[in-house]
Amino acid sequence: MTDRLTPYEIMEKLVSFPTVSRDTNIPLIDWVEDYLTSHGVKTFRHLHPDEPKAGLWAHAGPEVEGAVVLSGHTDVVPVDGQDWSSDPWVVEERDGKYYGRGCVDMKGFDALAIWAVVEAQYAGVKRPLQLALTYDEEVGLIGVDPLIRDALPNFPKGDVAIIGEPSTMEVVTGHKSGKGYAVHVHGFEVHSSIAYKGVSAIMEGARLIMWANAMNAEGMAKTPEGVDALFDPPWTNVHVGMISGGTAHNITAKDCEFVLTFRCVPGDDPEEWGARFLAEVDRINAEIRKVRPEAWIEVSEKFSGKGLTPEENGAAEELARRLTGDNGTHVVSYGTEAGYFQAHGFSAVVCGPGDIAQAHQPDEYITVEEFEKGHAFMQRLLETLKES
């Protein structure tokens, strides 16, 4: 593959790979690696230890430290049960929009980044450009940390990381951390007329959900301080989005399962929140075992995501603002992989084309205008790297 493809042609190719998180992303990684190496770009592949998935790191330009890293994830959410107007795995342009699964989250940015890395190889850049493509971001930010860890010894160390989640090209300097727990309440079935002799998994699970409500009310009543005040909401929120369980309306529920998640403001420690939750689990466990020793609450950590802390005079923020012209203050409550780059010593920001509101939706799209804004950003970045 010696042709230099346009960003749109690359996006078309990336979207054609149905890289839903439950499935493999290896064919996409194979294609990207072949394309990059055909243009002389040095690559490194990190393999998932147990599943057919991989992350990819690439380096273009001189073998010196100080690279700018462009980072995106390759996995997408499912299309099952969604009503699409066109094939989700084929990019279709209509009404000034590019439709397709991943066009905005985030294969549009990935395509722009791949294009920029290849162009950097030919542009005579003085400062190198690197690319990081991860797996399993959508199911808990799983693939980013091992990719960074394994790739760094193979390349000169970069300074700045730009994570291209859709931000309408605004420079996002902070986001919340996250932690989630899978909860399985094991009850004891009896007829509902003598419910006190059994343990209803649903009703005991509801006590944990009411605890979540109480924590949210407690947070809402506080006066936010410092960076926390920038967020919406400006407190750590606790959430349960789905619940399942029960056998019949007249039987105490044997099982109840749900996932309870925290999205923590920078002033709060997610580990402390986890400890508070587990203490509440222990308290309820002790009570229900007095009724039936067989009943208990099983908890396992489902994910833990690092937050992005705003940096004072951050190099990534300065570069992204210079390239976009954006001088506003932007933080978001959703999570990204940016905090992991920051934890590994990179200055990091989130900045990418498209609107997060379109992510995960049927008929997901990125506007042509936003995609072109992303392209212009990459062109200005290349000019900057040539001058460095």
Side-chain angles (χ1 to χ4, degrees), residues 153-174:
N154 296 276
F155 300 95
K157 178 70 164 57
D159 287 342
V160 164
I162 299 173
I163 290 72
E165 291 280 1
S167 70
T168 62
M169 298 308 299
E170 292 180 339
V171 181
V172 173
T173 58

Side-chain angles (χ1 to χ4, degrees), residues 12-337:
E12 278 189 307
K13 191 65 181 179
L14 297 182
V15 170
S16 73
F17 295 103
T19 51
V20 176
S21 303
R22 65 187 175 222
D23 300 321
T24 182
N25 73 334
I26 295 292
L28 181 150
I29 293 296
D30 286 343
W31 183 86
V32 174
E33 189 166 32
D34 288 346
Y35 179 63
L36 294 177
T37 56
S38 73
H39 292 283
V41 176
K42 181 181 176 182
T43 63
F44 170 84
R45 183 183 295 214
H46 159 78
L47 293 173
H48 189 292
D50 303 311
E51 299 178 25
K53 297 177 181 179
L56 188 71
W57 198 284
H59 178 103
E63 293 284 324
V64 297
E65 294 188 348
V68 173
V69 182
L70 302 174
S71 180
H73 61 81
T74 62
D75 59 318
V76 296
V77 298
V79 298
D80 309 37
Q82 293 187 335
D83 185 16
W84 282 73
S85 301
S86 56
D87 187 336
W89 310 115
V90 176
V91 177
E92 180 174 309
E93 180 182 357
R94 60 181 189 273
D95 304 321
K97 301 169 184 175
Y98 295 132
Y99 290 87
R101 174 56 87 220
C103 277
V104 75
D105 185 22
M106 56 183 302
K107 291 179 177 179
F109 176 84
D110 292 347
L112 292 163
I114 293 165
W115 174 86
V117 166
V118 169
E119 293 303 307
Q121 193 70 1
Y122 293 97
V125 294
K126 297 177 182 178
R127 183 180 182 184
L129 185 63
Q130 294 181 351
L131 172 72
L133 297 178
T134 67
Y135 59 84
D136 280 357
E137 188 272 349
E138 297 288 6
V139 291
L141 305 164
I142 293 170
V144 59
D145 195 57
L147 174 63
I148 299 172
R149 180 198 65 216
D150 291 355
L152 285 186
N154 296 276
F155 300 95
K157 178 70 164 57
D159 287 342
V160 164
I162 299 173
I163 290 72
E165 291 280 1
S167 70
T168 62
M169 298 308 299
E170 292 180 339
V171 181
V172 173
T173 58
H175 65 65
K176 292 185 176 184
S177 59
K179 185 174 281 290
Y181 292 93
V183 180
H184 185 173
V185 185
H186 300 267
F188 188 87
E189 291 178 307
V190 298
H191 194 275
S192 60
S193 63
I194 52 170
Y196 75 99
K197 293 184 178 181
V199 172
S200 169
I202 288 177
M203 295 183 74
E204 297 304 325
R207 295 172 68 186
L208 288 174
I209 295 172
M210 289 305 297
W211 176 85
N213 286 334
M215 294 302 100
N216 287 330
E218 181 182 292
M220 192 179 299
K222 290 181 179 178
T223 300
E225 298 179 353
V227 175
D228 293 357
L230 299 174
F231 287 84
D232 181 17
W235 65 83
T236 294
N237 60 306
V238 195
H239 178 69
V240 174
M242 296 178 64
I243 187 168
S244 63
T247 304
H249 73 277
N250 60 348
I251 302 173
T252 56
K254 181 180 179 181
D255 295 286
C256 178
E257 296 182 70
F258 54 89
V259 174
L260 186 144
T261 61
F262 300 92
R263 295 202 180 268
C264 302
V265 290
D268 286 356
D269 183 351
E271 297 304 321
E272 290 182 6
W273 272 101
R276 291 177 69 180
F277 172 64
L278 294 176
E280 183 67 9
V281 170
D282 288 344
R283 187 184 71 80
I284 297 174
N285 252 334
E287 292 183 6
I288 63 179
R289 279 178 164 158
K290 290 178 182 178
V291 180
R292 296 298 314 191
E294 306 94 329
W296 64 297
I297 303 174
E298 178 183 4
V299 175
S300 60
E301 186 173 296
K302 189 172 179 65
F303 72 89
S304 182
K306 296 183 184 298
L308 174 65
T309 303
E311 304 166 6
E312 187 173 352
N313 301 316
E317 180 181 351
E318 188 279 328
L319 175 62
R321 291 196 186 284
R322 181 151 44 97
L323 296 175
T324 61
D326 174 31
N327 292 313
T329 300
H330 310 289
V331 298
V332 294
S333 293
Y334 59 81
T336 79
E337 296 174 327

